[in-house]
Amino acid sequence: MIELLQEQLFQLALVAALLVGLCAPAVGTFIVQRRLALLGDGIGHVALTGVALGFLTGTTPVLTAVIVSIIGAVAIELVRARGRTSGDVALALLFYGGIAGGVMLMAIAPGGSNAKLNSYLFGAIASVTPEDIWVIAALAVAVIGIVVVFGRELFVLCQDEEMARASGLPVRFLSLLIAVTAALTVVIAMRVVGLLLVSALMVIPVATSQQLTRGFRTTMGLAMLFGVLASVGGLLASTFSTKVPPGAAIVLLALAGFVLALGVGKFVRRGRTQESSVTDRPQLRVEEVA
């Protein structure tokens, strides 16, 4: 294990896994709370067009994916907010348009082939370069910074949009901020778990944490921990066995954690119920005596 940590490729992959494991559940907590769990999938498909555009123009696919993903995320939020079509229909438009655009642009790119998209569709954490790490780290800092600075306002918005509007919060700005943050997270994670699986890492750790906790901050913190464990565990599994794809291993580990949390959560909730009932009994007696 010590020798493995000294290898540069593993060090780069480990840093990428840690950053993705932290960012994806942090943003996913707001998305799940707002019932937009499929938003990551929609943006992921749009990011595919951005990746293909990078190959077409001869630029860095990660940077073009950032630009196209942000544009797509803003578009979906504006369409949803204006009510001209429902959120699921708008997401479907992103699904189909993103895939078709990516395949078309890659087909006409000089020397392009759809096989080159596989590393972005399913992840290729072992091929992460130092340049990729710098971009991923910069995006991760931006995502965590947004969560820290606007966390309370975003929480109010996700709880009740009407209450947020009545409280004087800039609902439109905050909604766009969530969409843009989700877009950045998708691009961060696409080299680790792939565009087709990125939404899983944004949703599953949050769903797992919800089985064990109640508070919003606690849920987010625990989800980030689960995200890191799944990401690092999937990386180690793919390192020790070359037949194990890292993206799939990460998602399957996250799912295994969710199944385990389902069982543990039943005992936790049962304990809370018994504790609250014991706490209520003396109060009832006091009232009856009074």
Side-chain angles (χ1 to χ4, degrees):
M1 185 65 183
I2 297 178
E3 295 179 356
L4 187 63
L5 290 173
Q6 294 176 348
E7 296 182 6
Q8 184 182 21
L9 289 178
F10 182 80
Q11 292 174 354
L12 295 175
L14 181 60
V15 172
L18 290 173
L19 292 175
V20 171
L22 287 173
C23 293
V27 178
T29 305
F30 297 106
I31 293 176
V32 171
Q33 191 69 25
R34 212 177 183 198
R35 298 179 181 178
L36 291 174
L38 291 179
L39 181 62
D41 267 332
I43 297 175
H45 286 71
V46 173
L48 184 62
T49 298
V51 170
L53 183 63
F55 284 105
L56 178 65
T57 58
T59 56
T60 305
V62 174
L63 296 180
T64 53
V66 170
I67 297 173
V68 175
S69 297
I70 291 177
I71 294 174
V74 171
I76 184 62
E77 178 56 35
L78 292 178
V79 171
R80 187 194 65 83
R82 292 181 180 179
R84 294 181 179 178
T85 184
S86 59
D88 58 340
V89 174
L91 283 173
L93 295 176
L94 284 179
F95 271 61
Y96 307 139
I99 293 178
V103 173
M104 178 63 71
L105 291 177
M106 181 58 72
I108 64 177
S113 65
N114 291 331
K116 292 183 178 180
L117 294 177
N118 286 339
S119 62
Y120 295 92
L121 286 172
F122 303 103
I125 191 171
S127 63
V128 173
T129 64
E131 291 76 15
D132 291 332
I133 290 297
W134 282 111
V135 175
I136 292 174
L139 295 177
V141 170
V143 169
I144 297 299
I146 290 173
V147 171
V148 171
V149 175
F150 297 96
R152 181 170 297 182
E153 291 82 359
L154 293 177
F155 167 73
V156 175
L157 174 67
C158 295
Q159 286 293 102
D160 191 333
E161 185 171 322
E162 294 301 324
M163 183 177 68
R165 185 174 286 106
S167 301
L169 294 177
V171 172
R172 176 65 59 82
F173 168 76
L174 293 175
S175 298
L176 291 175
L177 189 62
I178 291 179
V180 171
T181 307
L184 296 178
T185 305
V186 166
V187 176
I188 292 172
M190 70 179 182
R191 295 290 284 165
V192 177
V193 295
L195 294 173
L196 295 183
L197 297 175
V198 60
S199 185
L201 198 55
M202 298 172 70
V203 174
I204 296 175
V206 179
T208 303
S209 182
Q210 288 178 337
Q211 304 300 317
L212 306 173
T213 61
R214 288 182 178 180
F216 187 82
R217 290 184 179 178
T218 308
T219 298
M220 178 182 292
L222 195 58
M224 294 170 72
L225 175 61
F226 289 150
V228 169
L229 292 177
S231 298
V232 175
L235 172 62
L236 292 175
S238 65
T239 301
F240 291 119
S241 176
T242 56
K243 295 183 178 181
V244 177
I250 291 172
V251 174
L252 289 176
L253 282 176
L255 284 172
F258 175 75
V259 173
L260 181 62
L262 280 177
V264 176
K266 291 182 180 180
F267 292 100
V268 173
R269 288 189 292 271
R270 184 180 302 174
R272 288 172 180 167
T273 302
Q274 294 176 351
E275 184 177 325
S276 61
S277 62
V278 171
T279 305
D280 291 342
R281 286 174 186 171
Q283 295 177 353
L284 290 174
R285 292 174 181 175
V286 171
E287 292 174 357
E288 289 173 357
V289 172

